Amino acid sequence: MFYEPEMRDRALLPHDPFKALVAPRPIGWISTRSLSGAVNLAPYSFFNAICGAPPLLAFSSEGAKDSASFAEESGEFVWNMANFPLREAMNASSAALPRGSSEFEHAGLASAPGVKVRAPRVAASPCSLECKVTEIVRLKDLSGSLTGAILTIGQVVGVHIDEDFLREGAFDLAAAEPILRCGYAADYATLGPMFRMARPG
């Protein structure tokens, strides 16, 4: 089967499979603070690490939502790992609340202050990464038209790790139980069995 995205056979594929094909994806659970002090917390499925040296993260907001707006005006954001014990709180933080309402309060989450940034982090998260914005890109399509999506890139300037998840100097990802975003409206996953495979010399 081959099709061009805008010409998908909707009888055969009533649901666009794009997000199911590029999956699972880590969840960008992003906390921000505006210059006026308003705090926002929201999960993003278009998120990932994009560079190792320096460590860079990126999340894409489909529209100028609070996370993207607050990150742009403050120059900061925090990524928090959403894990299985926090799944319901993560989902609750995606609710469309009135501007100025606290997703932390709505989701029953305690916040903790940042060290290098003013944005708070999710206190119960197994790990959080404090970031300073390095670049903001308004995404375009092939015609050069703006899509409305905003890609925010940040450099990690601070790392918080719950020491309960350290094993012999390494972060135990399986024990942390991160949840991952899959393809369709309500689909998530956790890590299955892990395996090791060394890169060829």
Side-chain angles (χ1 to χ4, degrees):
M1 170 190 278
F2 170 83
Y3 66 92
E4 297 175 46
E6 64 276 8
M7 299 175 67
R8 181 178 90 245
D9 183 340
R10 283 168 171 74
L12 186 61
L13 289 171
H15 306 287
D16 186 348
F18 172 67
K19 293 179 182 178
L21 301 176
V22 186
R25 298 179 304 282
I27 295 169
W29 205 10
I30 306 297
S31 48
T32 52
R33 181 189 298 272
S34 72
L35 292 180
S36 65
V39 170
N40 185 259
L41 175 67
Y44 287 84
S45 69
F46 289 132
F47 162 84
N48 221 316
I50 59 171
C51 184
L56 297 176
L57 302 179
F59 71 95
S60 180
S61 175
E62 294 186 302
K65 299 176 183 175
D66 283 354
S67 297
S69 298
F70 290 179
E72 182 167 21
E73 70 175 58
S74 69
E76 303 173 341
F77 66 89
V78 177
W79 170 76
N80 306 276
M81 177 182 283
N83 67 348
F84 193 71
L86 295 174
R87 66 194 182 281
E88 297 294 346
M90 182 281 300
N91 194 40
S93 72
S94 70
L97 303 178
R99 193 176 184 104
S101 299
S102 170
E103 288 82 7
F104 280 93
E105 290 180 13
H106 178 75
L109 290 165
S111 64
V115 175
K116 304 290 287 185
V117 301
R118 292 179 63 242
R121 60 188 174 87
V122 175
S125 178
C127 63
S128 299
L129 302 176
E130 298 184 7
C131 300
K132 297 270 192 178
V133 174
T134 60
E135 191 173 354
I136 293 175
V137 182
R138 264 77 181 173
L139 300 180
K140 299 177 181 178
D141 64 16
L142 284 173
S143 72
S145 298
L146 292 171
T147 65
I150 301 168
L151 182 70
T152 301
I153 302 172
Q155 181 171 329
V156 177
V157 295
V159 179
H160 298 268
I161 293 178
D162 184 336
E163 293 184 15
D164 287 346
F165 296 103
L166 293 181
R167 308 283 187 272
E168 299 179 358
F171 184 75
D172 189 338
L173 192 62
E177 298 183 284
I179 54 175
L180 309 167
R181 193 69 174 94
C182 295
Y184 298 103
D187 295 340
Y188 292 85
T190 55
L191 287 177
M194 295 176 64
F195 64 94
R196 296 180 66 89
M197 184 166 56
R199 292 175 65 177

